Amino acid sequence: MTATATRTEAVRRGGGRRLVDRVARVRELGIVVALGVLFGVTGAVNPSFLTYASIRDILLNSAIVAMLAVGQTLVVVTRNVDLSVSSVVGLSAFGGALILADHPGVPVAVVVAGCVLLGALCGAVNGLLVGAAKVPALVATLGTLYAFRGIDYAWAGGRQVNAADMPEGFLSLGTRSVLGVPLLALTALVVLVVVGWMLGNLRSGRELYAIGSNPEAAVLAGIRVRRRIVAAFVANGALAGLAGVMWAARFGTVDATVATGKELDVVAAVVVGGVAIFGGSGTVYGAALGALLLSGITSALAVLRVDALAQTAINGALLLAAIALDRILALRVAAALRRRRFHDAT
């Protein structure tokens, strides 16, 4: 009798997981359709929007945000958020650029690894504050946002590193293409595929969703919640460090103000991409599509000569609409699961 009940509960949980995954796929398909409409309508109004140069710029502009959105997804699915990513990007971008400028003989690979390690260290600080010290993520990462930015300003001391100060081999990473696709976009794509596979196939990835769905139940199930939360923040920080290197290679000119305010774009991309702000559902693929959609909208509005303030308002409206849609879908999924449990019970 106990074995039968266990099998029934397992089937019920599997059905609930499949229902949530189906909703996520529908959200991602909706973003793909929105991208098609955006490119189609804007291209019809202004054909230059569909040129290779324009699409290449969109891919370059969205690559860094997509990279940050992938890392942010790891944190958000655990029912947390990291507002300090922009400061981590700025800190790693300036640190990497400064080393390359003052010590041109240092291999680029060593600088990249150092920036990733610096980002992971910042992520560990956030993870320990949230996972171990139980400080609310919003409060903890808001504090570290200012703390990391302050360290960046103190380190820079008003200095600006220009493209002329850095090796050409490093700067070429921001402009190089492979088969017509920007190298930075390919890097973001590789990270996206790897992290997406890990979330969907590894036990540690599925446990992040379990923590976000119900932290108390995750503890009772034997999941090491604190360790998983710390790991999620560390991974997010490491990706922010890599994004900092990408930023320096992309723009060339780096100072202490790099990526200021970019955390809002990252959170918007994650939420618009269908990752529930309340945790427990969403994919990195949706988050990356959200980054591409927001970048495409910004470029389209610029081509259509829409005022910059209107662009910000439109992004805000999309964020509010995505949060409202997430809440509606969450309520509908919960109702469907209740009906299913009632049906199974009878």
Side-chain angles (χ1 to χ4, degrees), residues 307-346:
D307 184 79
L309 293 178
Q311 296 179 26
T312 303
I314 290 173
N315 286 343
L318 282 174
L319 179 59
L320 291 175
I323 293 174
L325 180 59
D326 276 338
R327 189 56 183 162
I328 292 171
L329 290 175
L331 292 173
R332 296 190 67 174
V333 169
L337 291 177
R338 283 195 298 269
R339 288 194 298 270
R340 183 172 295 178
R341 284 195 293 267
F342 177 78
H343 177 74
D344 292 342
T346 56

Coordinates of all heavy atoms in Angstrom, one line a residue, residues 307-346:
D307 N 11.9 58.7 -29.1 CA 12.7 59.3 -28.0 C 13.2 58.3 -27.0 O 12.5 57.3 -26.7 CB 11.8 60.3 -27.3 CG 12.5 61.1 -26.2 OD1 13.2 62.0 -26.6 OD2 12.4 60.7 -25.0
A308 N 14.4 58.5 -26.4 CA 15.0 57.6 -25.5 C 14.2 57.4 -24.3 O 14.1 56.3 -23.7 CB 16.4 58.1 -25.1
L309 N 13.5 58.4 -23.8 CA 12.6 58.3 -22.6 C 11.5 57.3 -22.9 O 11.1 56.6 -22.0 CB 12.1 59.6 -22.2 CG 13.2 60.6 -21.6 CD1 12.5 62.0 -21.3 CD2 13.8 60.0 -20.4
A310 N 11.0 57.4 -24.1 CA 9.9 56.5 -24.5 C 10.4 55.0 -24.5 O 9.7 54.1 -24.2 CB 9.3 56.9 -25.9
Q311 N 11.7 54.8 -24.9 CA 12.2 53.5 -24.9 C 12.2 52.9 -23.5 O 11.9 51.8 -23.3 CB 13.7 53.6 -25.5 CG 13.7 54.0 -27.0 CD 15.2 54.0 -27.4 OE1 16.0 53.3 -26.9 NE2 15.4 54.8 -28.5
T312 N 12.7 53.8 -22.6 CA 12.7 53.3 -21.2 C 11.3 53.0 -20.7 O 11.1 52.0 -20.0 CB 13.3 54.4 -20.3 OG1 14.6 54.7 -20.8 CG2 13.4 53.9 -18.8
A313 N 10.3 53.8 -21.0 CA 8.9 53.6 -20.6 C 8.4 52.3 -21.2 O 7.7 51.5 -20.6 CB 8.0 54.7 -21.1
I314 N 8.7 52.0 -22.5 CA 8.3 50.8 -23.1 C 8.9 49.5 -22.4 O 8.2 48.5 -22.2 CB 8.6 50.8 -24.6 CG1 7.8 51.8 -25.3 CG2 8.4 49.4 -25.3 CD1 8.1 52.1 -26.8
N315 N 10.2 49.6 -22.1 CA 10.8 48.5 -21.4 C 10.2 48.3 -20.0 O 10.0 47.1 -19.6 CB 12.3 48.8 -21.2 CG 13.1 48.6 -22.5 OD1 12.6 48.0 -23.5 ND2 14.3 49.2 -22.6
G316 N 9.9 49.4 -19.3 CA 9.2 49.2 -18.1 C 7.8 48.6 -18.2 O 7.4 47.8 -17.4
A317 N 7.1 49.0 -19.2 CA 5.7 48.4 -19.5 C 5.8 46.9 -19.8 O 5.0 46.1 -19.3 CB 5.1 49.2 -20.6
L318 N 6.8 46.6 -20.5 CA 7.0 45.1 -20.8 C 7.3 44.4 -19.6 O 6.8 43.2 -19.4 CB 8.2 45.0 -21.8 CG 7.9 45.2 -23.3 CD1 9.2 45.1 -24.1 CD2 6.9 44.2 -23.8
L319 N 8.1 44.9 -18.7 CA 8.5 44.3 -17.4 C 7.2 44.1 -16.6 O 7.0 43.0 -16.0 CB 9.5 45.1 -16.7 CG 10.0 44.6 -15.3 CD1 10.5 43.2 -15.4 CD2 11.0 45.5 -14.7
L320 N 6.4 45.1 -16.4 CA 5.2 45.0 -15.6 C 4.2 44.0 -16.3 O 3.6 43.2 -15.5 CB 4.5 46.4 -15.6 CG 5.2 47.4 -14.7 CD1 4.5 48.8 -14.8 CD2 5.3 47.0 -13.3
A321 N 4.1 44.0 -17.6 CA 3.2 43.0 -18.3 C 3.7 41.6 -18.0 O 2.9 40.7 -17.8 CB 3.2 43.3 -19.8
A322 N 5.1 41.4 -18.1 CA 5.6 40.1 -17.9 C 5.4 39.6 -16.4 O 5.0 38.4 -16.2 CB 7.1 40.1 -18.1
I323 N 5.5 40.5 -15.4 CA 5.2 40.1 -14.0 C 3.8 39.7 -13.9 O 3.4 38.7 -13.2 CB 5.7 41.2 -13.1 CG1 7.2 41.4 -13.1 CG2 5.2 41.0 -11.7 CD1 7.7 42.6 -12.3
A324 N 2.9 40.5 -14.5 CA 1.4 40.3 -14.4 C 1.1 38.9 -15.0 O 0.3 38.1 -14.5 CB 0.7 41.4 -15.0
L325 N 1.7 38.7 -16.2 CA 1.5 37.4 -16.9 C 2.0 36.2 -16.1 O 1.3 35.2 -16.0 CB 2.1 37.4 -18.3 CG 2.0 36.2 -19.1 CD1 0.5 35.9 -19.4 CD2 2.7 36.4 -20.5
D326 N 3.2 36.4 -15.5 CA 3.7 35.3 -14.6 C 2.8 35.0 -13.5 O 2.6 33.8 -13.2 CB 5.1 35.7 -14.1 CG 6.2 35.5 -15.0 OD1 6.0 34.6 -15.9 OD2 7.3 36.1 -14.9
R327 N 2.2 36.0 -12.9 CA 1.3 35.8 -11.8 C 0.0 35.1 -12.2 O -0.4 34.2 -11.5 CB 1.0 37.1 -11.1 CG 0.2 37.0 -9.8 CD 1.0 36.2 -8.8 NE 0.3 36.0 -7.6 CZ 0.5 35.0 -6.7 NH1 1.5 34.1 -6.9 NH2 -0.2 34.9 -5.6
I328 N -0.5 35.5 -13.3 CA -1.7 34.9 -13.9 C -1.4 33.4 -14.2 O -2.2 32.5 -13.8 CB -2.2 35.6 -15.1 CG1 -2.7 37.0 -14.7 CG2 -3.3 34.9 -15.8 CD1 -3.0 37.9 -15.9
L329 N -0.3 33.2 -14.9 CA 0.0 31.8 -15.2 C 0.3 30.9 -14.0 O -0.1 29.8 -13.9 CB 1.3 31.8 -16.1 CG 1.1 32.3 -17.5 CD1 2.4 32.3 -18.3 CD2 0.1 31.4 -18.3
A330 N 0.9 31.5 -13.0 CA 1.2 30.8 -11.7 C -0.2 30.4 -11.0 O -0.3 29.2 -10.6 CB 2.0 31.6 -10.8
L331 N -1.1 31.3 -11.0 CA -2.4 31.0 -10.4 C -3.1 29.9 -11.2 O -3.8 29.0 -10.6 CB -3.3 32.3 -10.3 CG -2.8 33.3 -9.4 CD1 -3.6 34.6 -9.5 CD2 -2.8 32.8 -7.9
R332 N -3.1 30.0 -12.5 CA -3.7 29.0 -13.4 C -3.1 27.6 -13.2 O -3.8 26.6 -13.2 CB -3.7 29.4 -14.8 CG -4.5 30.7 -15.1 CD -4.7 31.0 -16.5 NE -5.6 30.0 -17.1 CZ -6.1 30.1 -18.4 NH1 -5.7 31.1 -19.1 NH2 -6.9 29.2 -18.9
V333 N -1.8 27.6 -13.2 CA -1.1 26.3 -13.0 C -1.4 25.7 -11.6 O -1.7 24.5 -11.5 CB 0.5 26.5 -13.1 CG1 1.2 25.3 -12.7 CG2 0.8 26.8 -14.6
A334 N -1.4 26.5 -10.6 CA -1.8 26.1 -9.2 C -3.2 25.5 -9.2 O -3.5 24.4 -8.6 CB -1.7 27.2 -8.2
A335 N -4.1 26.2 -9.9 CA -5.5 25.7 -10.0 C -5.6 24.4 -10.7 O -6.3 23.4 -10.3 CB -6.4 26.7 -10.6
A336 N -4.8 24.2 -11.8 CA -4.8 23.0 -12.6 C -4.3 21.8 -11.8 O -4.8 20.7 -11.8 CB -4.0 23.2 -13.9
L337 N -3.2 22.1 -11.0 CA -2.6 21.1 -10.1 C -3.6 20.7 -9.0 O -3.7 19.5 -8.7 CB -1.3 21.6 -9.5 CG -0.2 21.8 -10.5 CD1 1.1 22.3 -9.8 CD2 0.2 20.5 -11.2
R338 N -4.3 21.6 -8.5 CA -5.3 21.3 -7.4 C -6.4 20.4 -8.0 O -6.8 19.4 -7.4 CB -5.9 22.6 -6.8 CG -5.0 23.3 -5.8 CD -5.8 24.3 -5.0 NE -6.4 25.3 -5.9 CZ -5.7 26.5 -6.2 NH1 -4.5 26.7 -5.7 NH2 -6.3 27.4 -6.9
R339 N -6.9 20.8 -9.2 CA -7.9 19.9 -9.9 C -7.4 18.5 -10.1 O -8.1 17.5 -10.0 CB -8.4 20.6 -11.2 CG -9.2 21.8 -11.0 CD -9.9 22.2 -12.3 NE -9.0 22.6 -13.3 CZ -8.5 23.8 -13.5 NH1 -8.9 24.8 -12.7 NH2 -7.7 24.0 -14.5
R340 N -6.1 18.4 -10.5 CA -5.5 17.1 -10.8 C -5.4 16.3 -9.6 O -5.7 15.1 -9.5 CB -4.2 17.3 -11.5 CG -3.5 16.0 -11.9 CD -2.2 16.3 -12.7 NE -2.6 16.9 -14.0 CZ -1.7 17.3 -14.9 NH1 -0.4 17.1 -14.6 NH2 -2.1 17.9 -16.0
R341 N -5.0 16.9 -8.4 CA -4.9 16.2 -7.2 C -6.3 15.8 -6.7 O -6.4 14.6 -6.2 CB -4.2 17.1 -6.1 CG -2.7 17.2 -6.3 CD -2.1 17.8 -5.0 NE -2.5 19.2 -4.8 CZ -1.8 20.2 -5.2 NH1 -0.7 20.0 -5.9 NH2 -2.2 21.4 -5.0
F342 N -7.3 16.6 -6.9 CA -8.6 16.2 -6.5 C -9.1 15.1 -7.3 O -9.7 14.1 -6.8 CB -9.6 17.4 -6.7 CG -11.0 17.1 -6.3 CD1 -11.4 17.0 -5.0 CD2 -11.9 16.9 -7.3 CE1 -12.7 16.7 -4.7 CE2 -13.2 16.6 -7.0 CZ -13.7 16.5 -5.7
H343 N -8.8 15.1 -8.6 CA -9.2 14.0 -9.5 C -8.6 12.7 -9.1 O -9.2 11.6 -9.1 CB -8.9 14.4 -10.9 CG -9.2 13.3 -11.9 ND1 -10.5 13.0 -12.3 CD2 -8.4 12.4 -12.6 CE1 -10.5 11.9 -13.2 NE2 -9.2 11.6 -13.4
D344 N -7.2 12.8 -8.8 CA -6.5 11.6 -8.4 C -7.0 11.0 -7.1 O -7.1 9.8 -6.9 CB -5.0 11.9 -8.2 CG -4.4 12.2 -9.6 OD1 -5.0 11.8 -10.6 OD2 -3.3 12.8 -9.6
A345 N -7.4 11.9 -6.2 CA -7.9 11.5 -4.9 C -9.2 10.7 -5.0 O -9.5 9.8 -4.2 CB -8.0 12.6 -3.9
T346 N -10.1 11.2 -5.9 CA -11.4 10.6 -6.1 C -11.3 9.4 -7.0 O -12.3 8.6 -7.1 CB -12.4 11.6 -6.6 OG1 -11.8 12.1 -7.9 CG2 -12.6 12.7 -5.7

